[in-house]
Amino acid sequence: MSASGDRVKDLLEHISDALALDADVLVEEEGRNITATLEGDDLGLFIGRHGQTIDAVQHLAFKAATRDHPPAAGLRVVVDAAGYRERRELALQRQADEAAEKAVDTSRPVALDAMSATERKVVHEYLKDREDVETYSEGTEPDRHLVVAPLD
């Protein structure tokens, strides 16, 4: 494992211990991607409300991993716990489908709740191939949200 991967693993193990979680930390590296996964029971505290804690930990893990790399190095770090990322992506896709149908049915834009830049990107990417709606972001952080609008 690279030094970056080791730093990510050490950070997550430290956080897991500090939160008194009974979890195993698995780190996989493929090219410029580092994926770290916590496996165990009762990881809700690590995930946090609306994923805020896991997103913050992912940001810290990225900072730890890229400490010795220039910003343009293209290193990507993903932190997951108990399959949260996949479940959240499916929930966002359901929300996107519902918003798109409502926008088309009412011929009016539909604003989604505020979400992180990563989550907004998931929705933008998911709906980009639809020919009946467009997506754009509005507002300022932390209230920035995505709008799904019908195409005329």
Side-chain angles (χ1 to χ4, degrees), residues 92-93 96-97 121-130:
L92 288 170
Q93 289 174 351
D97 284 334
K121 183 178 179 182
V122 167
V123 177
H124 282 303
E125 288 293 315
Y126 180 69
L127 292 178
K128 75 178 182 182
D129 293 331
R130 284 190 63 148

Side-chain angles (χ1 to χ4, degrees), residues 50-51 55 84-85 88 92 114-124 146:
H50 301 295
D55 287 345
Y84 171 77
R85 296 285 180 202
R88 183 65 181 146
L92 288 170
M115 58 182 73
S116 70
T118 303
E119 290 181 339
R120 289 192 307 271
K121 183 178 179 182
V122 167
V123 177
H124 282 303
L146 192 125

Side-chain angles (χ1 to χ4, degrees), residues 19-39:
L19 294 173
L21 299 175
D22 183 21
D24 293 321
V25 178
L26 307 171
V27 176
E28 295 179 1
E29 295 183 66
E30 186 175 310
R32 305 296 300 152
N33 297 319
I34 297 173
T35 303
T37 306
L38 264 74
E39 293 182 353

Side-chain angles (χ1 to χ4, degrees), residues 100-108:
E101 293 308 314
K102 184 174 180 182
V104 169
D105 289 347
T106 64
S107 298
R108 299 186 64 142

Side-chain angles (χ1 to χ4, degrees), residues 12-78:
L12 295 182
E13 286 175 344
H14 182 75
I15 291 170
S16 178
D17 290 345
L19 294 173
L21 299 175
D22 183 21
D24 293 321
V25 178
L26 307 171
V27 176
E28 295 179 1
E29 295 183 66
E30 186 175 310
R32 305 296 300 152
N33 297 319
I34 297 173
T35 303
T37 306
L38 264 74
E39 293 182 353
D41 295 327
D42 200 23
L43 296 176
L45 182 63
F46 183 82
I47 294 168
R49 186 170 185 252
H50 301 295
Q52 289 176 323
T53 305
I54 197 171
D55 287 345
V57 170
Q58 181 169 288
H59 180 73
L60 290 173
F62 174 78
K63 291 294 190 183
T66 59
R67 187 176 72 200
D68 301 331
H69 297 279
L75 195 62
R76 183 169 182 256
V77 178
V78 175

